[in-house]
């Protein structure tokens, strides 16, 4: 059974600092997603990572995937208050093709302090 | 391009009642997945439909059911509601599982409260 662990659960950062959120998963998969959720809102897609070594960047966020280590990271560079939200990683249960059955991590609540 | 729409946005029901939630995917998307989000259990997969067929189902009791119509719109039904069914129900649509870059886009959710 696929399990997804995310850490830390809560991250309080100062503006301008860098930090990394980690996402480990337990069984083979080649599709990993990162989402952002603001309070009371739905999930916003940030990144889709489809292969080993995939790296994607958007603004101050960069995501990477190591399928051999079953690890993805979401790196935040020079944090700003607008990045405050809950970040989820999600892994597709399939391998070699999408099942659209996503197993989500517990989420990381990011609070960026001025 | 319109996003995923879900109706209703808010619902209040009492125990024992049943409820039907609706999801309209992005135009051209043929796969619809449903998720339940609660503070205690987090985000959990309910089921996924593609071409009117349920391809996958999560670990939920039979009270939770769904269907997909020929226009890709989907509904989920919960019968005999329990207090623990109070949650945010999210629908996600994607092009098709056969597409390599198969990104799922989420709707705004339906907030169900069971009293």
């Amino acid at each position: 059974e696929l399990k997804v662990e995310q850490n830390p659960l809560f991250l309080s950062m100062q503006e301008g600092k860098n930090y990394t959120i980690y996402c480990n998963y337990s069984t083979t998969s080649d599709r990993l997603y990162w989402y952002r959720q603001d309070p009371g809102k739905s999930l916003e897609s940030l990144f889709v990572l489809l292969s080993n070594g995939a790296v994607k960047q958007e603004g101050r966020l960069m995501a990477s995937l190591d399928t051999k280590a079953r690890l993805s990271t979401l790196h935040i560079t020079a944090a700003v208050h607008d990045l405050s939200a809950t970040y989820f990683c999600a892994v597709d249960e399939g391998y070699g093709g999408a099942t659209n059955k996503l197993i989500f991590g517990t989420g990381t609540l990011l609070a960026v302090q001025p | 391009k319109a996003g995923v729409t879900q109706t209703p946005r808010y619902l209040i029901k009492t125990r024992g009642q049943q409820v039907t939630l609706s999801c309209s995917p992005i135009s051209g998307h043929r796969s619809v997945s449903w998720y339940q989000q609660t503070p205690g259990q987090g985000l959990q997969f309910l089921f996924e439909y593609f071409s009117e067929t349920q391809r996958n189902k999560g670990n939920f009791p039979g009270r939770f059911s769904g269907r997909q119509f020929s226009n890709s719109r989907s509904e989920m039904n919960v019968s005999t509601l329990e207090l623990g069914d109070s949650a945010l129900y999210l629908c996600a649509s994607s092009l098709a599982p056969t597409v390599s870059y198969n990104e799922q886009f989420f709707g705004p959710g339906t907030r169900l409260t069971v009293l």
Side-chain angles (χ1 to χ4, degrees), chain A residues 3-70:
Chain A
K3 293 191 186 301
V4 180
E5 290 186 356
Q6 203 175 323
N7 64 83
L9 294 182
F10 177 71
L11 179 54
S12 180
M13 297 177 63
Q14 280 189 314
E15 281 192 327
K17 299 290 188 182
N18 304 334
Y19 210 84
T20 301
I21 299 171
Y22 297 89
C23 176
N24 291 89
Y25 53 99
S26 62
T27 65
T28 302
S29 175
D30 54 1
R31 293 165 185 273
L32 189 141
Y33 305 81
W34 284 96
Y35 289 93
R36 167 181 172 148
Q37 187 175 40
D38 290 293
K41 300 293 180 69
S42 186
L43 298 172
E44 174 191 353
S45 179
L46 294 174
F47 300 109
V48 180
L49 301 170
L50 296 179
S51 62
N52 188 43
V55 177
K56 292 200 173 176
Q57 183 163 6
E58 180 73 35
R60 301 175 187 274
L61 301 178
M62 183 174 72
S64 66
L65 176 62
D66 181 343
T67 57
K68 293 178 182 176
R70 298 176 188 162

Side-chain angles (χ1 to χ4, degrees), chain A residues 31 33 37 42 45 99-100, chain B residues 31 37 55 100 102-103 107:
Chain A
R31 293 165 185 273
Y33 305 81
Q37 187 175 40
S42 186
S45 179
T99 65
N100 283 345
Chain B
S31 172
Q37 185 176 28
R55 294 196 318 139
S100 176
N102 191 44
E103 188 173 5

